[in-house]
Amino acid sequence: MKKHKLTGFGLQPVIAKEFDWFLFLLTVIIAAFGLVVVYSATRTTGSNSNIIVQSGAYCLGIGLMLGITFFDYEQFSNMVKYIYVFALFILVIVLIFGEGEESWGARSWIRIGSIGFQPAEFAKLCFVLTFAYHLSKVEDKVNNIKVLLGLTVHFAVLLALILLEPDMGSAMVFIFMFACMLFVAKLSYKYIIPVLACGIVSLPIIYNFVLEDYQRKRIDVFFDPTIAPDAEGYNVIQSKIAIGSGQLWGRGYLEGTQNQMGLIPSKTTDFIFSVLSEEFGFIGAVIVVILLFVLIYRCFKAAKRADNTFGRYICVGVGAMFLFHVFENVGMCIGIMPVTGIPLPFISYGGTSLVTNMAAIGLVLSVTYHNKPRARVEVY
C-alpha cells in the first residue's frame, strides 16, 4: 500500500496591502450624484455659488480621502491627545463665536470671511479616532466600572459641548456612535439594560424640563404635523407631498414642481431626499438608499477584517455615524422621525459635511489598505 507523507509546511499571505476600489468608487459615485441633485435644488436661485462650493468640496474630499488612505491610520494613535484637545477647542470656539439660525435654536457655524464650517462635523471624526484608541487600550476591562466611567467621561465632555449649542441632531449622532462602539467592545448587558430602562423612563422628564420650546414643538409636530401646518409642520407636510408626487419613476430631472417652485424647505440640505424622490421617484430613492447601505456595510466589513482593535473601532464608529445619518434624514423626510437638521451623507449640500464624510471613508480605506499580512499554514 502506498503511503502518503507530509512533505512540508508553507506560509501564504492572506491579506497584503489592498486598496478597496469598490468602496472608493461607490463613495465617488454617490457624492457625484449628490452634485446632480444639489444643482437641481439650487437651479431656481439664479446663482451657481452653491454648486461651485459643493464641487470644490467634492474635489477636496477626494484628495483628502486618498491622502488619508495611504497614511497609516495607526500613526493617529500618537496624536490622540492633540486630536481630542482640537475637538474641544473648536466646540468651545463655536459656543463663543458661532452663528446659526435662531429659528432652529442652534448656533453651530463658524464663519471666517465668506467661508463657513460646522465644527461638530470635524468633532465627529475626532471622537471616532480618540474613542477608538481609548477602547482599544481598555477593551479587555471595558466592563470594569472605573474603566467604563473613564470612557463615559471621554464621550460626555464632547456631548455636553454639543448640547450647549444646542445641536440635538449632532448630539444624537454622538450618542449612537458611542453606543455602537461600546456594544462591539462587548459591553455587558448588566449595564445596557439599566441604561435603556432609565432612558425610557426619563423621556417625559426630558420633554417637560430639559428641551427648549422649539424642540418640544418639533416632537409635537412629529406626531401630528397638522397642528402647525404653516409653521413647524410645514417642512414635513411639503416633504411628504414632494415624495408622493414623485410616484414610481419620478417627474424627471429638473422637473419636480415642489422643488422648482421652492415649496420644499431647506431643500439643499435637510430635505434633499425629498428633491431626489420627487424627480427620480420611488425607484431612484430606493437605489440611493441601497447604495448608502452598501457603503455602510463595507465599513462594517472593513471592521471585521481589521488586523487590530484600533482599526476595528474606527470602522465601526464611521459606519455607525453614516447609519444614523441615513436613517434619521430619510426618516424625517418621510415623517417617521422628528426633524433634527441632520444632512443626508454625500448628497446634502454642505462643504464641511462632504469633506468630513469623505475623510471618514478615507479612514476606513486606510484600515483596509494597511492591514498587516496575515499568514495561514498550508500543507504541501
Side-chain angles (χ1 to χ4, degrees):
M1 179 183 294
K2 186 177 180 179
K3 294 183 179 180
H4 297 277
K5 62 180 181 179
L6 191 65
T7 58
F9 292 90
L11 293 177
Q12 298 295 325
V14 176
I15 299 177
K17 287 187 181 296
E18 179 183 343
F19 186 79
D20 191 341
W21 281 102
F22 183 85
L23 179 58
F24 173 75
L25 292 175
L26 181 61
T27 302
V28 170
I29 290 169
I30 295 174
F33 179 72
L35 293 177
V36 171
V37 182
V38 168
Y39 175 76
S40 177
T42 59
R43 182 166 171 258
T44 58
T45 62
S47 172
N48 292 323
S49 60
N50 286 351
I51 191 64
I52 292 172
V53 169
Q54 195 74 350
S55 298
Y58 176 76
C59 295
L60 177 61
I62 291 176
L64 186 59
M65 179 168 57
L66 288 172
I68 293 175
T69 297
F70 298 117
F71 177 81
D72 190 347
Y73 71 95
E74 292 188 62
Q75 297 301 315
F76 286 115
S77 63
N78 300 319
M79 315 175 204
V80 289
K81 292 181 180 179
Y82 305 106
I83 294 172
Y84 191 75
V85 170
F86 173 73
L88 294 176
F89 174 75
I90 58 177
L91 291 177
V92 169
I93 289 296
V94 78
L95 292 178
I96 301 172
F97 302 106
E99 299 179 5
E101 297 181 36
E102 294 302 322
S103 59
W104 290 100
R107 299 173 69 239
S108 54
W109 287 83
I110 290 179
R111 293 198 175 275
I112 302 175
S114 60
I115 300 175
F117 65 94
Q118 287 181 287
E121 295 297 322
F122 297 130
K124 291 173 189 174
L125 276 192
C126 293
F127 173 72
V128 167
L129 285 169
T130 59
F131 197 68
Y133 178 77
H134 193 163
L135 264 180
S136 70
K137 290 301 180 184
V138 301
E139 67 166 353
D140 294 336
K141 300 178 288 184
V142 71
N143 289 300
N144 178 290
I145 190 66
K146 291 183 179 179
V147 170
L148 187 56
L149 180 61
L151 290 167
T152 303
V153 170
H154 182 145
F155 154 74
V157 173
L158 295 174
L159 179 67
L161 293 172
I162 293 289
L163 289 173
L164 287 173
E165 295 184 15
D167 184 351
M168 289 299 297
S170 293
M172 292 167 65
V173 177
F174 270 82
I175 292 170
F176 190 74
M177 290 191 294
F178 174 71
C180 287
M181 293 171 80
L182 279 180
F183 182 79
V184 171
K186 299 181 180 179
L187 180 67
S188 173
Y189 280 98
K190 72 179 181 181
Y191 296 116
I192 295 174
I193 294 175
V195 168
L196 285 176
C198 290
I200 294 171
V201 171
S202 66
L203 288 178
I205 298 173
I206 294 173
Y207 176 84
N208 288 294
F209 302 106
V210 177
L211 298 182
E212 300 288 342
D213 289 340
Y214 77 92
Q215 292 169 331
R216 285 194 291 270
K217 195 68 173 180
R218 287 186 188 180
I219 294 175
D220 295 340
V221 165
F222 162 64
F223 288 106
D224 183 10
T226 61
I227 63 174
D230 298 321
E232 290 85 356
Y234 177 82
N235 295 359
V236 177
I237 292 172
Q238 293 301 323
S239 175
K240 288 181 176 181
I241 292 173
I243 293 172
S245 69
Q247 299 185 38
L248 187 62
W249 296 104
R251 290 181 170 271
Y253 185 56
L254 305 179
E255 299 297 329
T257 53
Q258 295 291 113
N259 172 29
Q260 300 303 329
M261 292 176 66
L263 298 176
I264 303 175
S266 303
K267 61 180 182 174
T268 61
T269 52
D270 302 347
F271 290 93
I272 202 161
F273 183 76
S274 307
V275 173
L276 73 90
S277 296
E278 182 182 31
E279 299 194 346
F280 296 95
F282 176 78
I283 299 299
V286 167
I287 290 174
V288 170
V289 171
I290 288 175
L291 291 178
L292 286 168
F293 274 104
V294 170
L295 181 145
I296 293 166
Y297 167 76
R298 296 293 291 198
C299 292
F300 290 132
K301 183 178 180 180
K304 187 176 180 180
R305 299 179 64 198
D307 66 358
N308 62 67
T309 53
F310 182 39
R312 181 180 308 130
Y313 293 130
I314 286 175
C315 295
V316 169
V318 171
M321 178 179 73
F322 288 139
L323 178 60
F324 189 85
H325 268 259
V326 173
F327 183 79
E328 168 59 23
N329 182 273
V330 174
M332 73 182 188
C333 287
I334 63 178
I336 64 171
M337 292 292 287
V339 176
T340 56
I342 289 181
L344 187 61
F346 307 104
I347 306 292
S348 292
Y349 171 74
T352 308
S353 175
L354 182 57
V355 170
T356 303
N357 289 338
M358 286 187 154
I361 293 296
L363 286 174
V364 176
L365 291 171
S366 180
V367 172
T368 302
Y369 185 76
H370 290 97
N371 271 334
K372 304 298 184 295
R374 295 201 294 266
R376 68 179 177 217
V377 177
E378 288 193 348
V379 178
Y380 61 90

